Amino acid sequence: FAFHAQTTDRLLAFSTNGKFFTLTGDQLPGGRGHGEPVRILFDMDKDQDIVTAFIHDPARRLLLASTAGNGFVVTESDVVANTRKGKQVLNVSGADEAAICIAAAGDHVAVVGRNRKLLIFPLEQLPEMSRGKGVRLQRYKDGEVADVRVFAAEAGLTWSDSAGRMHTRALDELADWIGERAQAGRMAPQGFPKNNRFGETGL
């Protein structure tokens, strides 16, 4: 992950076991070396990976989701960890892993599964919690979540194709995909990326 930060910034890292880890920019190695493994900076299990890392914004809200499609909204100030062991926020078990951490800025959620089914529902259908397993975003028979995006209805849903071109669909053009949380959804519209992802989250 690469992003511009200051040495005074707090940085957050979210791992596949649903934990958040916190460090400040000045804790990162300086100079022109090869850096250090994050497992030296945090007490991370060997079988865990980093889902995403970003600069902490205490005013922001995040949407977290697991591969099974469970998730919730959390205030970013509630995920800051005070120890190297991190802070457990999204509870996962078995083969289920934390997979999504995006900014919850908007009023609608678009979720797409690896089965290419897309579902759109109001963000207010997701609870705001400080920790837990969350609720079901989308129902899968034997699949898992591929990507999630929170967007404002008035701005429409945007995704980028393999060539990097941006596509935006107004909410009224997406009426066939609007439903209730935990439904299965419908096959994504023509032109939706083959990798089943909306593109950069902008965190």
Side-chain angles (χ1 to χ4, degrees):
F1 305 97
F3 48 83
H4 182 81
Q6 309 289 340
T7 53
T8 51
D9 285 333
R10 270 175 141 177
L11 309 178
L12 298 181
F14 185 51
S15 71
T16 50
N17 64 349
K19 278 187 176 181
F20 276 91
F21 299 91
T22 308
L23 72 160
T24 53
D26 61 358
Q27 291 176 266
L28 293 174
R32 298 184 180 182
H34 298 292
E36 290 178 0
V38 290
R39 293 176 205 283
I40 292 176
L41 303 170
F42 312 133
D43 290 342
M44 259 182 85
D45 295 337
K46 285 193 173 135
D47 59 342
Q48 303 303 324
D49 289 313
I50 298 291
V51 175
T52 188
F54 51 92
I55 297 170
H56 173 48
D57 177 358
R60 186 165 48 194
R61 297 197 309 158
L62 302 172
L63 187 155
L64 309 179
S66 69
T67 51
N70 297 314
F72 58 90
V73 173
V74 61
T75 302
E76 200 170 304
S77 56
D78 283 340
V79 306
V80 175
N82 296 317
T83 68
R84 284 172 52 93
K85 291 185 176 178
K87 185 173 186 178
Q88 188 71 47
V89 178
L90 179 64
N91 294 339
V92 291
S93 59
D96 191 22
E97 290 187 329
I100 302 289
C101 175
I102 59 170
D107 49 29
H108 278 73
V109 177
V111 53
V112 61
R114 296 199 183 276
N115 57 4
R116 279 190 74 73
K117 287 194 173 176
L118 174 70
L119 174 67
I120 297 171
F121 59 87
L123 179 63
E124 63 187 18
Q125 293 186 6
L126 278 184
E128 185 169 316
M129 306 165 60
S130 57
R131 174 178 174 168
K133 178 181 175 182
V135 296
R136 181 59 57 104
L137 275 69
Q138 187 179 24
R139 178 167 49 84
Y140 310 108
K141 225 175 200 175
D142 51 3
E144 56 184 41
V145 71
D147 203 5
V148 183
R149 172 65 52 88
V150 180
F151 67 99
E154 60 184 23
L157 177 61
T158 300
W159 63 78
S160 56
D161 62 20
S162 57
R165 292 177 300 235
M166 302 302 292
H167 300 264
T168 301
R169 295 282 181 91
L171 198 61
D172 56 3
E173 296 178 81
L174 297 165
D176 289 345
W177 291 271
I178 296 174
E180 300 292 315
R181 179 186 61 75
Q183 290 180 338
R186 299 178 62 168
M187 290 302 287
Q190 197 169 356
F192 192 77
K194 287 194 169 74
N195 65 359
N196 298 328
R197 297 190 65 82
F198 296 105
E200 294 298 318
T201 64
L203 254 183

